[in-house]
């Protein structure tokens, strides 16, 4: 602060007084000039902030996820856009909520699931319309079919059982949803397939009107796998390892097949895969099927089990892509927050071409073609290619 000596009267006006007045004027001018610069700087800051807000709003309104399908949109970060161009499926991607399953088997490929399942259902509809395959793709919705469909009324779900494609695990999921057990880990293995104790009603147990209502309104799904690999799995499970100790397969069903289809009657070995293939490929196999009863569910066609051309299913999962399909099905059914599909051991669902070719290597082309002729509907309906060893 500039100060001058206090003076009054005319005698006080001299050089000191004049200099003091001049210095005061300079100080006032400098102070005013500094304040002017400060106001300009402050105004510039406000202008920058204002322009930044406008620019941010413009980016928010412009760069929105095009795959939102009506879900709440979030602005995309510009660096993330660059990453999408460089990588086909980014590891960290914020997808619309309805396509974000919560199962343990979640993978980046899951974002493509809606399109995959739409294509599967479209293929199914087209093959169902193919009159040349009508006998292989259509069946009556009989009691045999209704017996295969398990009901969860609490969550409006129907599950069609197709053995040898991981059905035991799906039964556990439904048992928990129906309230018989609080978690999958608590379910004893011997209870899962005991339909008097597992709390899973079959669709056949309802009246005709109740069946029709559930078929029209409920979420419906089933699982498929390569038809020939499924037959190998059924053969190994029932006639080779038989882990559940079901003696009737070896002691009743196997001898019936051997008597009818073994070429060399002097052989005393148990049922061979070649015998099994001849039985399944025989156009007159049904008379043995009747004798075997419901045990045939492990090797009859998906068409015979679930009537996919007569019943409009919501989702058809594939065993080969179960790591993605299982959490997608839970999400689509609206139950992913209630239960998770059990952990899938690595590699267990992968199609094993070498194993299939090894099992069929000793089978005659005639018998393989007859087998394929019976299961052609399953191959075509669900997009499985004809085996290479049939084309050679």
């Amino acid at each position: 602060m500039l100060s001058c000596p206090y003076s009054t009267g005319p005698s006080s006006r001299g050089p000191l007084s004049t200099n003091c007045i001049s210095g005061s004027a300079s100080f006032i001018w400098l102070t005013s000039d500094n304040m002017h610069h400060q106001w300009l700087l402050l105004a510039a800051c406000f202008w920058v902030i204002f322009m930044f807000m406008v620019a941010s709003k413009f980016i928010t309104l412009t760069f929105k996820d095009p795959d939102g399908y009506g879900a709440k949109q979030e602005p995309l970060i510009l660096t993330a856009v660059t990453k999408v161009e460089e990588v086909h499926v980014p590891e960290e991607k914020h997808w619309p909520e309805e396509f974000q399953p919560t199962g343990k088997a979640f993978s980046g490929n899951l974002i493509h699931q809606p399109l995959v399942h739409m294509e599967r259902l479209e293929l199914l509809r087209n093959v169902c319309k193919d009159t040349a395959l009508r006998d292989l793709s259509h069946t009556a919705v009989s009691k045999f079919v209704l017996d295969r469909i398990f009901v969860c009324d609490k969550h409006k779900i129907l599950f069609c059982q197709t053995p040898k494609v991981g059905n035991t695990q799906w039964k556990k999921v439904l048992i928990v949803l129906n309230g018989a057990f609080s978690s999958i880990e608590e379910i004893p293995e011997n209870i899962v397939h005991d339909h008097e104790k597992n709390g899973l009603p079959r669709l056949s147990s309802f009246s005709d009107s109740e069946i029709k209502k559930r078929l029209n309104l409920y979420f419906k799904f089933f699982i498929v796998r390569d038809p020939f690999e499924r037959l190998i799995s059924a053969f190994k499970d029932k006639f080779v390892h038989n882990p559940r100790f079901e003696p009737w397969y070896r002691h009743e069903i196997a001898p019936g097949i051997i008597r009818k289809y073994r070429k060399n009657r002097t052989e005393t070995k148990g049922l061979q895969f070649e015998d099994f293939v001849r039985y399944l490929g025989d156009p007159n196999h049904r008379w043995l099927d009747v004798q075997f009863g419901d045990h045939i569910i492990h090797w009859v066609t998906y068409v015979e089990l679930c009537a996919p051309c007569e019943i409009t299913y919501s989702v058809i999962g594939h065993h080969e892509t179960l790591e993605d399909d299982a959490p997608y099905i839970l999400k689509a059914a609206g139950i992913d927050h209630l239960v998770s599909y059990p952990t899938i051991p690595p590699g267990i669902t992968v199609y094993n071409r070498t194993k299939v070719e090894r099992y069929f290597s000793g089978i005659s082309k005639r018998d393989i073609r007859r087998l394929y002729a019976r299961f052609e509907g399953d191959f075509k309906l669900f997009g499985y290619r004809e085996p290479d060893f049939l084309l050679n």
Side-chain angles (χ1 to χ4, degrees):
M1 178 85 182
L2 181 66
S3 59
C4 294
Y6 180 78
S7 61
T8 58
S11 61
S12 66
R13 297 187 180 185
L16 179 61
S17 178
T18 303
N19 291 338
C20 188
I21 293 171
S22 175
S24 297
S26 298
F27 173 76
I28 294 171
W29 180 85
L30 287 173
T31 302
S32 175
D33 187 64
N34 287 338
M35 292 180 65
H36 179 71
H37 279 81
Q38 289 175 1
W39 278 108
L40 286 176
L41 181 61
L42 186 61
C45 290
F46 276 114
W47 175 254
V48 170
I49 293 171
F50 175 77
M51 292 303 296
F52 179 78
M53 293 174 62
V54 171
S56 299
K57 186 64 176 179
F58 175 78
I59 291 172
T60 302
L61 293 173
T62 304
F63 296 101
K64 288 189 175 182
D65 190 347
D67 297 322
Y69 295 97
K72 182 180 179 181
Q73 300 285 354
E74 298 292 341
L76 293 179
I77 307 303
L78 294 181
T79 54
V81 174
T82 304
K83 188 175 181 181
V84 171
E85 293 174 351
E86 295 174 353
V87 183
H88 291 297
V89 182
E91 291 183 3
E92 296 294 332
K93 177 74 173 175
H94 297 289
W95 298 104
E97 184 177 354
E98 66 265 34
F99 298 147
Q100 202 152 46
T102 58
K104 296 178 181 178
F106 174 82
S107 79
N109 291 331
L110 196 55
I111 187 59
H112 303 298
Q113 286 292 300
L115 179 59
V116 167
H117 288 285
M118 288 172 61
E119 291 174 345
R120 289 176 183 174
L121 295 175
E122 181 65 20
L123 172 64
L124 176 69
R125 285 190 290 267
N126 290 336
V127 177
C128 288
K129 296 174 185 176
D130 188 344
T131 55
L133 291 171
R134 183 168 183 81
D135 291 342
L136 296 172
S137 60
H138 289 262
T139 190
V141 183
S142 61
K143 184 179 184 300
F144 180 82
V145 172
L146 298 175
D147 278 344
R148 309 281 76 79
I149 300 177
F150 295 101
V151 181
C152 175
D153 277 330
K154 186 176 182 180
H155 300 283
K156 294 181 170 55
I157 297 172
L158 299 180
F159 167 62
C160 185
Q161 176 189 22
T162 49
K164 316 324 305 169
V165 296
N167 280 265
T168 297
Q169 308 305 327
W170 284 112
K171 282 186 177 180
K172 290 179 180 179
V173 168
L174 293 182
I175 288 170
V176 170
L177 290 175
N178 276 350
F181 291 86
S182 59
S183 70
I184 287 174
E185 292 73 24
E186 295 178 9
I187 306 173
E189 288 297 321
N190 63 318
I191 295 292
V192 178
H193 301 288
D194 188 338
H195 299 296
E196 294 182 358
K197 298 179 180 179
N198 63 15
L200 291 181
R202 299 175 189 263
L203 190 56
S204 58
S205 65
F206 295 87
S207 67
D208 289 347
S209 61
E210 290 295 312
I211 290 171
K212 184 176 181 181
K213 181 181 74 173
R214 286 166 174 78
L215 286 174
N216 287 335
L217 299 178
Y218 281 20
F219 178 88
K220 301 172 288 293
F221 77 100
F222 67 97
I223 313 295
V224 298
R225 74 187 294 186
D226 177 86
F228 279 5
E229 190 172 36
R230 173 175 170 256
L231 295 180
I232 294 171
S233 178
F235 174 77
K236 290 170 59 180
D237 185 57
K238 301 306 176 186
F239 300 106
V240 179
H241 303 305
N242 202 258
R244 294 197 185 95
F245 189 67
E246 299 164 310
W248 49 87
Y249 286 103
R250 289 179 178 174
H251 299 159
E252 299 175 21
I253 295 177
I257 295 174
I258 291 171
R259 283 193 299 268
K260 174 71 175 174
Y261 297 102
R262 176 159 294 179
K263 288 183 177 180
N264 186 356
R265 300 297 179 85
T266 61
E267 287 185 5
T268 58
K269 295 183 295 185
L271 184 71
Q272 301 298 295
F273 189 64
E274 183 180 14
D275 307 323
F276 191 54
V277 168
R278 286 201 195 98
Y279 152 57
L280 295 177
D282 184 359
N284 299 312
H285 62 84
R286 295 192 184 280
W287 74 274
L288 268 185
D289 290 350
V290 172
Q291 296 180 42
F292 298 157
D294 281 358
H295 300 308
I296 64 173
I297 65 172
H298 297 280
W299 51 78
V300 298
T301 66
Y302 301 126
V303 171
E304 295 171 278
L305 290 169
C306 297
C309 289
E310 283 66 40
I311 297 173
T312 304
Y313 285 91
S314 312
V315 176
I316 299 172
H318 282 224
H319 185 261
E320 295 81 1
T321 55
L322 196 58
E323 288 85 350
D324 289 336
D325 289 1
Y328 175 82
I329 290 170
L330 297 178
K331 182 71 175 180
I335 55 174
D336 61 306
H337 61 294
L338 300 173
V339 65
S340 294
Y341 189 84
T343 302
I344 302 172
I348 196 172
T349 63
V350 177
Y351 173 69
N352 192 331
R353 182 190 301 273
T354 302
K355 178 183 69 176
V356 174
E357 292 178 347
R358 175 166 52 86
Y359 266 84
F360 281 91
S361 61
I363 312 297
S364 71
K365 286 292 179 63
R366 171 183 174 273
D367 289 337
I368 297 176
R369 289 193 181 97
R370 292 178 69 171
L371 181 68
Y372 179 78
R374 177 180 176 186
F375 287 86
E376 184 179 7
D378 283 358
F379 277 93
K380 296 289 179 62
L381 284 165
F382 307 111
Y384 290 102
R385 56 179 292 182
E386 184 177 346
D388 292 337
F389 51 78
L390 264 180
L391 304 175
N392 298 333

